[in-house]
């Protein structure tokens, strides 16, 4: 007998038929002799629809009320799933996030979990129930309702798995697992049998939308064994764990891309100590996350430098820089969109020289200029113009030996939800 946490995303519970399919799947698992805790997201596009409704009433709806609103989506799912399971003749109980014991910091919209008190979940399991828990929600010390950020139900599942010492945390989604790259761009992308936490973390942060980055961090920290698999078939998924066997000759495991990139360039800044600290300190104060930073050569005591932010933050960043012009004179500031960050990720990169050089070669063969580069031990990222993204990803996929003969199965759109 094993203890499973099974998480089903919005598309897996998108309508009543799908809800029933999930119920059958969970009951089947229990009949095999296992204990099951199920974490669910809101049905289909419910969360987006709720946000749209609030936006009709106010351009900036209060964060507290948004949490109040959004958590209703998951609450509908847990009740319906519990009803569906009981209709099949099994015992089930639904719990909201706070009933399941999720305590969080006092931040609306993106709260971190501070503590989990899963006694009620454990007691219901003891009584032979399938326990159904609402994803992405918790409560503060002062009994205020909070959410964990978009896609946060993955984090609920992983955190609960750690708290109740589950044997496995299964993330059921609309694709068969983690792919070497987006199968919509490269039809012969391969499904990975296993991947390490670190690689998965890079891929999740780099825009592979299947798993929420914070969930992967949590899984690594608590050594929760994760399996990403399809809710539409019984194929084996991808196992995410600490150590993975490296396949002979495979140095790069995956290729990710992120279209949410804007580049800002500040030209003609005097090259004196403290300039970078001033610029990036001001951006940080405005809560703007900066990704890649590149400073180019100094000429006549003046330097140019560029950095990237998300598209959403582009205007805000330009305003911040305009705001410090009197303290920090510069000649000109410009910004660019229509960019994409393409990244190769692989634990084997540390010990293999020339992997990044090969990437630059492949990209230049496509006639594409590389605008920025950043590297870590297990990844190399290049910012390029988005026009030739598909060609570049395909060429990289082939160059690193990732193509398979078969066409990948894609059960549905690979969107973050
Ligand atoms: N329903 C929430 C969202 O759409 C949380 C989740 O699905 O993980 O972001
Ligand atoms: Mg998701």
């Amino acid at each position: 007998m094993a203890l499973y946490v099974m998480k089903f995303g919005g598309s897996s519970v998108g309508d009543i038929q799908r809800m029933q399919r999930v119920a059958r799947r969970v009951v089947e698992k229990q009949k095999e002799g296992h204990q099951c805790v199920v974490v669910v997201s809101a049905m289909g596009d419910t969360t987006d629809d709720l946000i749209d409704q609030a936006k009709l009433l106010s351009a900036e709806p209060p964060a507290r009320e948004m949490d109040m609103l959004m958590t209703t989506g998951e609450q509908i799912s847990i009740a319906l799933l519990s009803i569906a399971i009981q209709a099949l003749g099994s015992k089930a109980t639904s719990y909201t996030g706070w009933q399941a014991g999720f305590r969080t910091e006092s931040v609306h919209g993106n709260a971190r979990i501070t503590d989990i008190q899963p006694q009620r979940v454990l007691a219901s399991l003891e009584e032979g129930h399938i326990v159904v828990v609402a994803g992405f929600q918790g409560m503060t010390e002062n009994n205020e309702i909070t959410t964990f950020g978009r896609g946060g139900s993955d984090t609920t599942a992983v955190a609960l798995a750690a708290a109740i010492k589950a044997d496995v945390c299964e993330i059921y989604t609309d694709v068969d697992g983690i792919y070497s790259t987006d199968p919509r761009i490269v039809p012969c992308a391969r499904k990975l049998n296993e991947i390490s936490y670190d690689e998965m973390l890079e891929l999740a942060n780099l825009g592979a939308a299947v798993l929420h980055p914070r969930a992967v961090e949590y899984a690594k920290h608590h050594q929760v064994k994760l399996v990403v698999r399809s809710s539409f078939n019984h194929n084996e998924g991808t196992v995410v764990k600490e150590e993975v066997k490296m396949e002979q000759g495979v140095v790069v495991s995956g290729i990710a891309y992120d279209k949410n990139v804007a580049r800002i360039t500040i030209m003609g800044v005097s090259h004196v100590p403290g300039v970078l600290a001033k610029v990036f300190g001001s951006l940080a104060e405005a809560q703007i996350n900066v990704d890649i930073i590149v400073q180019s050569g100094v000429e006549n005591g003046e330097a140019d430098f560029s950095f990237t932010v998300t598209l959403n933050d582009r205007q805000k960043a330009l305003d911040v820089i305009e705001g410090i012009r009197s303290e920090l004179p510069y000649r000109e500031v410009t910004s660019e969109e229509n960019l994409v960050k393409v990244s190769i990720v692989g634990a084997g990169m540390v010990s293999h020289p020339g992997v990044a050089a090969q990437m630059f070669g492949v990209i230049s063969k496509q006639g594409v200029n590389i605008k920025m580069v950043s590297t870590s031990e297990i990844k190399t990222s290049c910012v390029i113009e988005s026009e030739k993204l598909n060609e570049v990803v395909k060429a990289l996929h082939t160059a690193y030996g990732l193509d398979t003969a078969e066409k990948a199965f894609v059960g549905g759109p690979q969107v973050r939800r």
Side-chain angles (χ1 to χ4, degrees):
M1 183 182 81
L3 173 53
Y4 279 86
V5 171
M6 308 165 78
K7 183 258 168 180
F8 293 88
S11 57
S12 303
V13 293
D15 56 34
I16 291 298
Q17 284 74 35
R18 289 183 177 198
M19 197 68 92
Q20 282 174 318
R21 180 159 50 194
V22 168
R24 284 196 295 274
R25 183 141 199 176
V26 177
V27 168
E28 190 183 299
K29 181 88 92 186
Q30 193 195 37
K31 295 231 159 100
E32 286 165 14
H34 304 299
Q35 288 183 307
C36 306
V37 176
V38 190
V39 173
V40 272
S41 292
M43 296 170 72
D45 295 330
T46 302
T47 311
D48 288 325
D49 295 344
L50 291 171
I51 294 171
D52 290 346
Q53 287 185 35
K55 291 254 161 91
L56 291 176
L57 297 167
S58 161
E60 269 188 58
R64 177 185 185 276
E65 307 309 335
M66 288 310 289
D67 278 354
M68 191 64 87
L69 180 67
M70 286 190 290
T71 47
T72 62
E74 271 67 15
Q75 215 168 315
I76 293 171
S77 293
I78 55 170
L80 289 176
L81 183 58
S82 178
I83 292 169
I85 294 171
Q86 292 180 55
L88 295 173
S90 288
K91 292 190 277 188
T93 310
S94 66
Y95 290 122
T96 61
W98 41 99
Q99 287 179 314
F102 279 82
R103 292 287 165 261
T104 75
E105 56 181 18
S106 302
V107 175
H108 286 293
N110 202 14
R112 284 179 181 271
I113 299 164
T114 49
D115 185 32
I116 304 169
Q117 299 282 338
Q119 289 84 350
R120 288 184 80 176
V121 172
L122 292 169
S124 297
L125 281 174
E126 266 320 293
E127 289 165 16
H129 286 236
I130 291 170
V131 180
V132 186
V133 176
F136 133 98
Q137 50 176 256
M139 207 175 247
T140 69
E141 256 179 19
N142 300 322
N143 296 341
E144 288 289 334
I145 292 174
T146 50
T147 58
F148 305 166
R150 298 303 308 271
S153 295
D154 293 344
T155 306
T156 299
V158 174
L160 195 53
I164 64 174
K165 302 195 169 55
D167 297 286
V168 189
C169 179
E170 292 183 323
I171 307 283
Y172 287 86
T173 180
D174 49 17
V175 289
D176 269 9
I178 306 297
Y179 280 86
S180 52
T181 194
D182 185 344
R184 286 170 306 175
I185 293 189
V186 184
C188 60
R190 63 162 89 181
K191 194 203 79 198
L192 308 175
N193 292 328
E194 19 177 75
I195 186 167
S196 67
Y197 292 123
D198 287 331
E199 289 171 305
M200 189 62 236
L201 201 51
E202 290 284 5
L203 288 175
N205 277 322
L206 291 168
V210 184
L211 273 182
H212 196 253
R214 205 180 273 176
V216 185
E217 259 170 46
Y218 214 102
K220 177 178 161 67
H221 190 242
H222 296 272
Q223 297 287 306
V224 175
K225 182 176 163 193
L226 276 180
V227 179
V228 179
R229 59 190 305 185
S230 171
S231 63
F232 299 98
N233 61 47
H234 281 74
N235 297 349
E236 272 174 44
T238 302
V239 180
V240 189
K241 55 184 191 171
E242 186 67 49
E243 294 282 341
V244 303
K245 282 191 280 341
M246 246 202 295
E247 241 181 89
Q248 194 71 35
V250 177
V251 182
V252 170
S253 317
I255 298 164
Y257 63 88
D258 185 359
K259 291 183 178 169
N260 190 8
V261 183
R263 173 161 93 144
I264 295 180
T265 303
I266 309 180
M267 280 167 287
V269 194
S270 33
H271 191 63
V272 291
V275 168
L276 289 180
K278 178 73 203 158
V279 173
F280 294 104
S282 306
L283 291 167
E285 251 170 55
Q287 303 289 326
I288 297 170
N289 261 326
V290 174
D291 183 21
I292 305 180
I293 303 172
V294 173
Q295 175 171 299
S296 56
V298 183
E299 226 177 285
N300 305 328
E302 286 190 343
D304 300 342
F305 61 90
S306 310
F307 57 90
T308 60
V309 294
T310 60
L311 289 171
N312 246 343
D313 280 345
R314 186 189 66 97
Q315 192 53 50
K316 211 164 131 197
L318 288 173
D319 293 345
V320 167
I321 289 161
E322 197 52 54
I324 55 174
R325 191 164 208 159
S326 56
E327 299 158 69
L328 184 94
Y330 52 83
R331 197 169 59 244
E332 201 189 343
V333 54
T334 59
S335 72
E336 277 167 274
E337 298 192 355
N338 299 321
L339 299 173
V340 60
K341 182 171 77 168
V342 181
S343 308
I344 55 172
V345 174
M349 282 169 64
V350 218
S351 48
H352 288 76
V355 180
Q358 187 181 1
M359 179 182 197
F360 306 149
V362 170
I363 294 177
S364 71
K365 262 213 191 117
Q366 298 298 313
V368 174
N369 275 330
I370 298 172
K371 297 189 167 248
M372 297 170 107
V373 175
S374 91
T375 61
S376 80
E377 279 197 334
I378 65 166
K379 72 133 204 261
T380 302
S381 302
C382 295
V383 175
I384 59 173
E385 268 166 15
S386 53
E387 204 187 323
K388 284 205 165 174
L389 168 67
N390 290 11
E391 288 88 338
V392 166
V393 172
K394 275 189 202 142
L396 288 169
H397 201 266
T398 306
Y400 290 109
L402 294 170
D403 292 353
T404 55
E406 303 137 57
K407 197 170 158 302
F409 166 79
V410 191
Q414 221 172 356
V415 290
R416 173 163 283 164
R417 72 161 47 117

